[in-house]
Amino acid sequence: MGLFVPLDRARRAEAASALGSLERGIEILLCLAAGMRPMNLTQVHRSTGFSKTTTHRLLGTLQRRGLVTRTGGDYTVGGRLADLVAPRGWAVQGRRLPGSRRAVLPHLLQLYEATRQTVNLAVADGFEVAYVERLYGHNRIKSPSDGVDRAPLHCTATGKVLLAYNAGLRATFLAAPPMRRMTGRTVTAPAVLERELAAIRGEGVGYAREEFAEGVCCAAAPVFGPDGGVCMAVAVAAPVGAAALPRMGAAVRRTAHQITGALLL
């Protein structure tokens, strides 16, 4: 009795032992891409049939190469692979939103026409925001995110919005190492950031005032997915003094509501 192993599990283990590291890495990526929710180490280990040690090692390698993202104890397909597995939509916290690009882009263009400033659409990727769409204004100021399309959560309007409406991400982020100071205005005290995130939930709009890049201000609002959870953040960034922040905030909040409605259709 002690030697009995269910047949399907035995077959998975036998097949797993025959795979090389490359093939095993691919199997893990396919496992994560097929899921609709983030998976922890045990779930990936059970789904692939690989040992926990092997699974943990390969997940670490994939994470370092940007193909897998880890938030807390959960793993999801990373930003680099998301564009491949969902070319007409976006992978948001392990959940693919097929067709989302077609539904969202008209609203982003409308926001750009209304503001004539840079429009960003961002998703959370670990402790960073990943900009999945960007429409640049003519008077934009250079930013550290140029060329990489990524930025820290705590000092960007989109990042603050994603933190404000995702309790799990917020708890994990605030328990992480100290926040990096990007400019003299960057908020790095957890208590101060938490108060600001609470205000964002009350108002429905987040702001960044020269906190990520000198001379740049930004307003962002949350986009909610079909399950009711925040899935993206839409933002307008402008040179300081080029546009009134309250007006930008009203514009992004209106656009975020429109995009939320479009994703439900």
Side-chain angles (χ1 to χ4, degrees), residues 159-243:
K160 291 179 187 179
V161 164
L162 293 168
L163 283 171
Y165 288 91
N166 185 328
L169 177 62
R170 184 167 66 253
T172 303
F173 179 81
L174 291 172
M179 292 173 270
R180 181 182 175 190
R181 182 175 295 279
M182 302 296 294
T183 74
R185 295 177 178 266
T186 305
V187 174
T188 59
V192 176
L193 180 62
E194 284 194 271
R195 287 197 295 271
E196 187 172 347
L197 298 180
I200 290 172
R201 290 191 294 274
E203 187 178 349
V205 180
Y207 297 100
R209 300 170 175 86
E210 298 186 88
E211 298 168 46
F212 178 55
E214 298 284 356
V216 179
C217 62
C218 187
V223 173
F224 297 96
D227 65 353
V230 65
C231 63
M232 296 180 257
V234 61
V236 172
V240 172

Side-chain angles (χ1 to χ4, degrees), residues 112 117-120 134-138 140 145-147 149:
Y112 174 79
Q117 302 294 340
T118 298
V119 172
N120 295 315
R134 309 188 85 172
L135 304 176
Y136 294 114
H138 291 293
R140 69 183 302 270
S145 66
D146 292 346
D149 293 329

Side-chain angles (χ1 to χ4, degrees), residues 79-96:
R80 289 187 180 181
L81 190 62
D83 292 337
L84 299 177
V85 300
R88 296 180 183 175
W90 295 293
V92 181
Q93 297 173 355
R95 297 166 293 166
R96 292 198 302 278

Side-chain angles (χ1 to χ4, degrees), residues 31-87:
C31 173
L32 292 174
M36 294 299 289
R37 297 285 180 181
M39 301 176 70
N40 61 33
L41 174 62
T42 299
Q43 291 170 326
V44 177
H45 145 67
R46 289 176 176 172
S47 295
T48 59
F50 306 149
S51 70
K52 268 195 174 182
T53 301
T54 297
T55 304
H56 185 266
R57 175 175 57 81
L58 291 175
L59 282 169
T61 300
L62 294 169
Q63 182 184 354
R64 287 192 297 274
R65 298 307 299 267
L67 298 176
V68 165
T69 294
R70 181 179 180 180
T71 303
D74 291 331
Y75 296 88
T76 60
V77 171
R80 289 187 180 181
L81 190 62
D83 292 337
L84 299 177
V85 300

